[in-house]
Amino acid sequence: MNKKIHNSLVCLVGGFLLTISFTVAGQNKELALLQNSIENYTSHHLQEKLFLHTDKNFYVANEICWFKVYNVDAILNKPLSISKVAYVELIDHNNKAVIQEKIALGEGTGNGSILIPNSIATGNYTLRAYTNWMKNFNTSFFFEKKISILNASMVQENNYTPIKETYTIQVFPEGGNLVGDVSSKVAFKIANQFGKGMQAKGYLLNEKGDTITTCQTYSLGMGTVSFTPQIEHKYILSLKVVDNKTLNDKNITQTLPSIFEKGYALSINNSTSSDAQKIKVTIAGKKVGDTRVYLLIHTRGIVTNALTALLENGISSFEIDKSKLEEGISTFTLFNEAQQPVSERLYFTYPTNNTISSITLESPLLEKRKKVNLQISTKLDMDHFVAANLSMAVYKTDSVQNIDENNIQNYIWLSSDLTGNIESPSSYFQDKSSQTLIAMDNLMLVNGWRRFNWENVLSNTTPTFKYLPEVAGSIITGKVVQKGTTSGVKDIAGYISMPSKYTLFKAGISDENGNIKFEFPHLYNDGQVILQADSTKYNTNKIEIDNPFVNIKNNNAKSEILPLQLPQLNRESAEQYTRNIEIQNLFKADYINHFEQPALDTNAFYYKPDYTYYLDEYARFTTMEEVIREYVTPLTLTKSDGRFQLAVYDDQNKHFFDKAPLVLLDGLPIANMDKFIEYDPLKIRKLEVVARSYFSGNMAFNGIANFITYTGKMEGFELDPRSTLIDYKGLQLQREFSAPVYENQAQIDSRSPDFRHLLHWSPTINTTNGAKATSFYTSDVTGKYVIVLQGITKDGKPIYAEKIFTVK
């Protein structure tokens, strides 16, 4: 990994660590070593979280899915501006990418859109997002959310047919293990093949079928059962799914894990009272003697509590002050005297200082084609405004389009730090009743969390990463190989070009394994790139480019994708929704493909040339040889052994370079000067010359001669047959969201139909002073609408607000 990048990441995380305080009970060397191991690991493993705010979650073919990307660090949830590219994919039920896009990021955010294609099948899809840096870590922490798509022209062949549900039970002993003769709690979850938790009742049985105790699910298929396991027995959880309050006949069973003769058990007595100030942690050891244990409590990899105790008669306990815990998910990890992790448990601390966001609407009942003025405010409390970066969607809700419960608040605090699908995440934040606290604790018991494994943490080794953060723009990686083989070739110069007026060219040298990389700050839109590798007369080399998108073949943490159940949709609403989109696209086709052109630095990679020649300002010669000889003084053209050779005058050392310069045509490096001399100079608009040595990474050039055509497309120039031409997807251009304006009576009386269901999408709302005024216009479609506001503050506080209104 680039040392400079590595040091900057370490410094960044090091700054975060200074903001975290922790307590150490006693001056214990072993405890300090464990604590330092975790924090050292965290400081060398900066991780990112992505969240996508989509305008809604139900679409039809030919409709646009709008989204905003938020990138935050995985420790303090603060906006993170390291990665400059996000990868967004639409995945079907076969785990195949239907659409793939690259989104430019700046200051931790980026905007994008997906035009749902006509050819897409009706169904539920997964929207996935990640950065190049995130590919170094567990793919289970990529952002994912479900969206539904209806294609009216393909309803019959893709219609949902009922599928017989299958069920599985997962069991999770508290702390990780069952130890003989130690009172234990076992959490369980019963779900169908789509991850939906099922209501169930049943029994805990021993191997003889004797009933140990009864049990039932509490919420969303999760529950707990407490008992004292005996080493000579095996235990089986047997459940029956409750369907429409009637027990199914079939039993679903799951054998509990093996029982250890000796070991440790960790349990938390978590009061269901929101007023409780302490948490009691009990440590039990069987056949381990009077030994010392260490308890580390860490939140997203940062230690907040470090405690030690001596087990007396195999038991000890701690009381933890809740106020000493960081907000969100904390991990309680128990280590034995040899500093080995032996037990672990999750605990959730509800945020207490969330921002207060509000949307002030002039009236909850509005007319069609009316301007709606909004006032948005973001506060730390009732009296202190806070700046925030926000996005807002306004859309119609009905039987096919509901309010998306996956929002930035429950994602940042909960879903992003748990592997697997979290069913109904918003239900854990509706209130802090005893029922909600129990449900949250059950969720902590049945979900595994870890952005690291202890073997890596305790080894205290300097990490190496395969994927670099894209701190300046897109990084294109590949491998130089001999044609006809898969063997990498080292120390080979490689070039990549995208012919244009802006000289999109990069060069690199392959490493010992043949790997090569090129970095482009701004590479927008899709097009073709030309790859060239230096070749000898004995061997021909080529460059093979890596696919930057991840192919996740098996992701055990994710459930199958539930089919879109069309019979359960309100068919009349779905058909009306589709007709309205079709009419909108017919009358407002220009709204779909209106893109913003990014503000780009149009200078070439060498920034500014030493000489520039606009050929139209000179006599127009008919041969390239005449052009160079007559008035391009920094260049000299000679012949040796019957072949043309070009040289650049070195302004710094006052002589011509003795080796050939880099010669480019619209960004394409030219190796055969004889062929280039035959090119029609009337197609050349200008020539730029760099009259000095130029260094790019680990390569040096003896000056540069850059010929640029009028079209930027090398018109009429034949490529070297050893070149490789491939299609390449660049950064997505941003679509402009457009909507009709109704400022005067003539606009209101217009006969042009306005059947928008999505009234407004704004990805860039900044409450610099804690407040922002904005507006939008209602359409001809009556019904209930919702305003959804999402975002984050500079301090990492997620913001969510919604407002309902009706158009009559």
Side-chain angles (χ1 to χ4, degrees):
M1 182 178 181
N2 182 285
K3 186 175 181 181
K4 183 177 180 181
I5 295 174
H6 178 264
N7 289 341
S8 67
L9 297 182
V10 172
C11 290
L12 178 62
V13 180
F16 291 162
L17 298 183
L18 293 176
T19 67
I20 301 292
S21 62
F22 54 82
T23 60
V24 179
Q27 301 298 316
N28 187 286
K29 179 181 177 181
E30 289 77 11
L31 193 62
L33 287 174
L34 288 171
Q35 181 176 287
N36 290 337
S37 294
I38 297 177
E39 293 179 348
N40 179 64
Y41 181 89
T42 303
S43 69
H44 286 84
H45 291 77
L46 175 68
Q47 295 190 48
E48 298 171 301
K49 294 180 185 178
L50 290 189
F51 175 79
L52 264 62
H53 173 198
T54 59
D55 57 322
K56 46 198 179 68
N57 56 14
F58 181 87
Y59 303 90
V60 298
N62 284 326
E63 188 177 9
I64 296 174
C65 167
W66 303 88
F67 59 85
K68 178 173 181 177
V69 183
Y70 291 90
N71 185 12
V72 300
D73 76 86
I75 301 173
L76 299 181
N77 300 323
K78 291 184 177 181
L80 195 60
S81 59
I82 288 180
S83 291
K84 296 300 185 292
V85 181
Y87 298 86
V88 177
E89 302 178 275
L90 188 65
I91 311 295
D92 66 12
H93 68 283
N94 293 317
N95 209 21
K96 179 182 177 182
V98 178
I99 295 173
Q100 295 178 318
E101 298 290 349
K102 298 175 185 175
I103 308 300
L105 300 179
E107 302 302 321
T109 64
N111 311 322
S113 61
I114 294 174
L115 177 61
I116 306 298
N118 240 338
S119 57
I120 200 165
T122 295
N124 287 325
Y125 291 78
T126 299
L127 197 62
R128 177 188 298 158
Y130 50 90
T131 66
N132 199 55
W133 181 249
M134 290 172 69
K135 286 152 58 176
N136 290 302
F137 307 100
N138 191 338
T139 59
S140 296
F141 293 104
F142 288 0
F143 172 85
E144 290 189 0
K145 73 170 293 184
K146 186 195 81 172
I147 65 172
S148 301
I149 297 175
L150 175 64
N151 190 336
S153 64
M154 301 179 72
V155 165
Q156 294 304 315
E157 60 182 288
N158 292 282
N159 207 342
Y160 172 79
T161 54
I163 297 175
K164 184 178 180 179
E165 285 189 326
T166 59
Y167 308 107
T168 57
I169 301 174
Q170 294 175 289
V171 292
F172 308 86
E174 184 177 19
N177 296 318
L178 291 174
V179 180
D181 299 322
V182 175
S183 179
S184 302
K185 179 191 290 184
V186 175
F188 61 88
K189 180 175 183 178
I190 179 170
N192 66 8
Q193 68 268 42
F194 306 113
K196 177 178 173 58
M198 310 303 296
Q199 185 181 354
K201 293 182 178 181
Y203 304 90
L204 180 66
L205 311 172
N206 64 17
E207 75 282 2
K208 298 177 181 179
D210 299 329
T211 299
I212 307 302
T213 185
T214 59
C215 57
Q216 65 180 32
T217 54
Y218 185 81
S219 65
L220 300 174
M222 295 176 288
T224 61
V225 57
S226 297
F227 74 112
T228 301
Q230 305 297 319
I231 191 66
E232 65 272 14
H233 290 294
K234 292 183 179 179
Y235 298 91
I236 301 166
L237 189 63
S238 177
L239 299 174
K240 285 185 178 180
V241 173
V242 178
D243 185 16
N244 296 324
K245 297 184 179 181
T246 301
L247 289 177
N248 290 336
D249 292 333
K250 186 177 179 180
N251 288 67
I252 305 100
T253 62
Q254 178 62 49
T255 302
L256 269 58
S258 300
I259 302 164
F260 290 89
E261 288 189 44
K262 66 177 184 177
Y264 298 87
L266 178 152
S267 64
I268 293 179
N269 181 10
N270 183 22
S271 172
T272 57
S273 171
S274 59
D275 298 326
Q277 301 299 314
K278 301 283 187 180
I279 303 170
K280 185 176 181 181
V281 181
T282 301
I283 311 298
K286 180 70 178 298
K287 295 184 178 181
V288 295
D290 293 342
T291 184
R292 184 163 293 279
V293 293
Y294 308 98
L295 180 66
L296 294 187
I297 305 174
H298 43 105
T299 306
R300 298 179 292 276
I302 302 300
V303 177
T304 56
N305 291 262
L307 306 160
T308 183
L310 188 66
L311 291 186
E312 296 180 356
N313 298 320
I315 196 166
S316 186
S317 64
F318 302 95
E319 279 200 342
I320 310 298
D321 189 340
K322 286 186 177 182
S323 66
K324 301 296 184 182
L325 300 178
E326 287 293 314
E327 297 173 338
I329 298 174
S330 293
T331 306
F332 288 59
T333 305
L334 181 70
F335 296 83
N336 62 16
E337 199 164 47
Q339 301 176 55
Q340 298 169 324
V342 292
S343 192
E344 199 161 68
R345 214 275 209 191
L346 303 186
Y347 178 83
F348 189 83
T349 302
Y350 277 91
T352 57
N353 57 345
N354 273 339
T355 52
I356 302 170
S357 50
S358 63
I359 303 170
T360 304
L361 187 65
E362 54 193 65
S363 171
L365 188 62
L366 301 171
E367 298 177 353
K368 296 185 291 184
R369 299 197 177 194
K370 178 178 175 59
K371 183 176 183 179
V372 182
N373 295 308
L374 291 180
Q375 186 69 30
I376 297 167
S377 67
T378 50
K379 299 179 180 180
L380 280 177
D381 50 45
M382 295 304 295
D383 300 316
H384 297 88
F385 287 96
V386 62
N389 190 325
L390 308 167
S391 46
M392 186 176 76
V394 184
Y395 57 91
K396 187 175 186 292
T397 62
D398 51 30
S399 59
V400 297
Q401 174 64 72
N402 52 24
I403 299 176
D404 190 355
E405 67 169 309
N406 294 280
N407 60 59
I408 195 169
Q409 279 191 341
N410 56 51
Y411 184 78
I412 288 293
W413 292 123
L414 185 65
S415 304
S416 63
D417 289 334
L418 294 172
T419 60
N421 178 58
I422 309 302
E423 186 180 357
S424 190
S426 63
S427 66
Y428 298 98
F429 295 89
Q430 292 176 350
D431 55 49
K432 293 184 184 179
S433 65
S434 59
Q435 289 82 3
T436 303
L437 294 177
I438 292 172
M440 177 65 87
D441 202 51
N442 285 344
L443 182 68
M444 294 297 102
L445 286 166
V446 303
N447 277 274
W449 182 98
R450 190 92 63 62
R451 289 181 178 269
F452 53 80
N453 66 63
W454 282 113
E455 183 178 347
N456 292 337
V457 172
L458 299 177
S459 66
N460 286 315
T461 56
T462 302
T464 57
F465 299 105
K466 180 179 179 180
Y467 303 101
L468 292 174
E470 294 177 298
V471 297
S474 300
I475 295 178
I476 301 173
T477 61
K479 190 174 184 179
V480 179
V481 299
Q482 287 184 12
K483 283 193 175 180
T485 75
T486 59
S487 302
V489 187
K490 68 177 182 178
D491 298 331
I492 299 296
Y495 310 101
I496 184 169
S497 311
M498 181 176 280
S500 74
K501 298 178 182 179
Y502 305 121
T503 314
L504 298 174
F505 164 83
K506 290 291 179 179
I509 295 179
S510 59
D511 66 14
E512 60 183 8
N513 297 313
N515 298 318
I516 194 167
K517 68 180 180 69
F518 312 96
E519 187 171 20
F520 281 95
H522 306 289
L523 196 57
Y524 281 86
N525 222 334
D526 303 340
Q528 291 185 317
V529 296
I530 302 169
L531 301 163
Q532 294 176 306
D534 278 356
S535 299
T536 69
K537 63 181 179 179
Y538 301 108
N539 294 305
T540 301
N541 301 315
K542 68 173 183 176
I543 303 175
E544 296 177 344
I545 291 299
D546 299 326
N547 181 3
F549 291 92
V550 174
N551 181 19
I552 304 177
K553 294 182 180 179
N554 293 302
N555 194 346
N556 295 327
K558 308 298 180 184
S559 303
E560 296 180 42
I561 299 179
L562 177 69
L564 183 61
Q565 301 182 29
L566 296 179
Q568 295 183 10
L569 291 177
N570 184 313
R571 188 169 294 278
E572 182 179 351
S573 296
E575 290 174 353
Q576 185 63 55
Y577 192 110
T578 301
R579 285 196 299 270
N580 288 348
I581 293 297
E582 290 174 347
I583 293 172
Q584 278 297 110
N585 289 343
L586 180 65
F587 283 87
K588 307 293 183 182
D590 56 324
Y591 288 172
I592 294 179
N593 291 313
H594 192 194
F595 295 92
E596 296 180 10
Q597 293 301 316
L600 300 178
D601 183 357
T602 57
N603 291 304
F605 64 93
Y606 45 78
Y607 189 54
K608 287 186 178 180
D610 297 308
Y611 300 93
T612 301
Y613 297 88
Y614 290 93
L615 272 59
D616 285 339
E617 297 177 358
Y618 299 86
R620 274 306 210 168
F621 296 102
T622 57
T623 67
M624 193 69 72
E625 182 178 0
E626 289 177 295
V627 170
I628 296 172
R629 292 189 188 279
E630 290 298 325
Y631 55 81
V632 185
T633 56
L635 299 183
T636 181
L637 188 66
T638 60
K639 264 192 173 184
S640 177
D641 296 329
R643 299 177 66 88
F644 280 105
Q645 293 183 348
L646 192 67
V648 172
Y649 186 77
D650 184 353
D651 277 351
Q652 295 175 339
N653 297 301
K654 308 304 180 185
H655 62 75
F656 281 94
F657 286 105
D658 58 0
K659 293 184 178 180
L662 173 66
V663 181
L664 300 171
L665 176 63
D666 291 338
L668 177 74
I670 303 299
N672 188 335
M673 282 304 301
D674 293 331
K675 182 178 178 182
F676 179 69
I677 289 299
E678 297 174 0
Y679 191 67
D680 184 359
L682 297 179
K683 296 177 180 179
I684 302 294
R685 182 174 69 91
K686 71 174 178 176
L687 165 63
E688 294 182 343
V689 179
V690 178
R692 49 191 155 81
S693 296
Y694 183 82
F695 298 91
S696 176
N698 52 4
M699 295 192 69
F701 301 107
N702 300 297
I704 301 172
N706 185 15
F707 295 85
I708 301 169
T709 67
Y710 288 95
T711 63
K713 298 298 181 183
M714 308 180 307
E715 183 182 355
F717 187 78
E718 185 179 350
L719 283 178
D720 188 316
R722 294 173 297 181
S723 302
T724 302
L725 187 66
I726 63 170
D727 292 326
Y728 182 79
K729 178 176 285 293
L731 296 172
Q732 184 189 77
L733 292 174
Q734 288 185 18
R735 277 190 177 89
E736 290 185 5
F737 179 83
S738 301
V741 174
Y742 301 114
E743 291 282 5
N744 54 53
Q745 196 60 42
Q747 292 169 336
I748 295 174
D749 294 338
S750 168
R751 298 183 64 182
S752 178
D754 183 0
F755 292 154
R756 291 173 297 131
H757 285 234
L758 176 67
L759 301 183
H760 189 65
W761 167 252
S762 179
T764 52
I765 297 176
N766 292 298
T767 57
T768 307
N769 299 313
K772 181 74 174 182
T774 188
S775 62
F776 63 89
Y777 298 88
T778 59
S779 67
D780 296 335
V781 181
T782 59
K784 184 181 292 185
Y785 288 80
V786 62
I787 304 169
V788 174
L789 185 72
Q790 304 201 60
I792 200 157
T793 69
K794 290 183 179 180
D795 292 330
K797 301 297 182 184
I799 290 174
Y800 178 82
E802 60 185 55
K803 192 83 169 181
I804 303 291
F805 66 92
T806 301
V807 176
K808 61 179 181 178

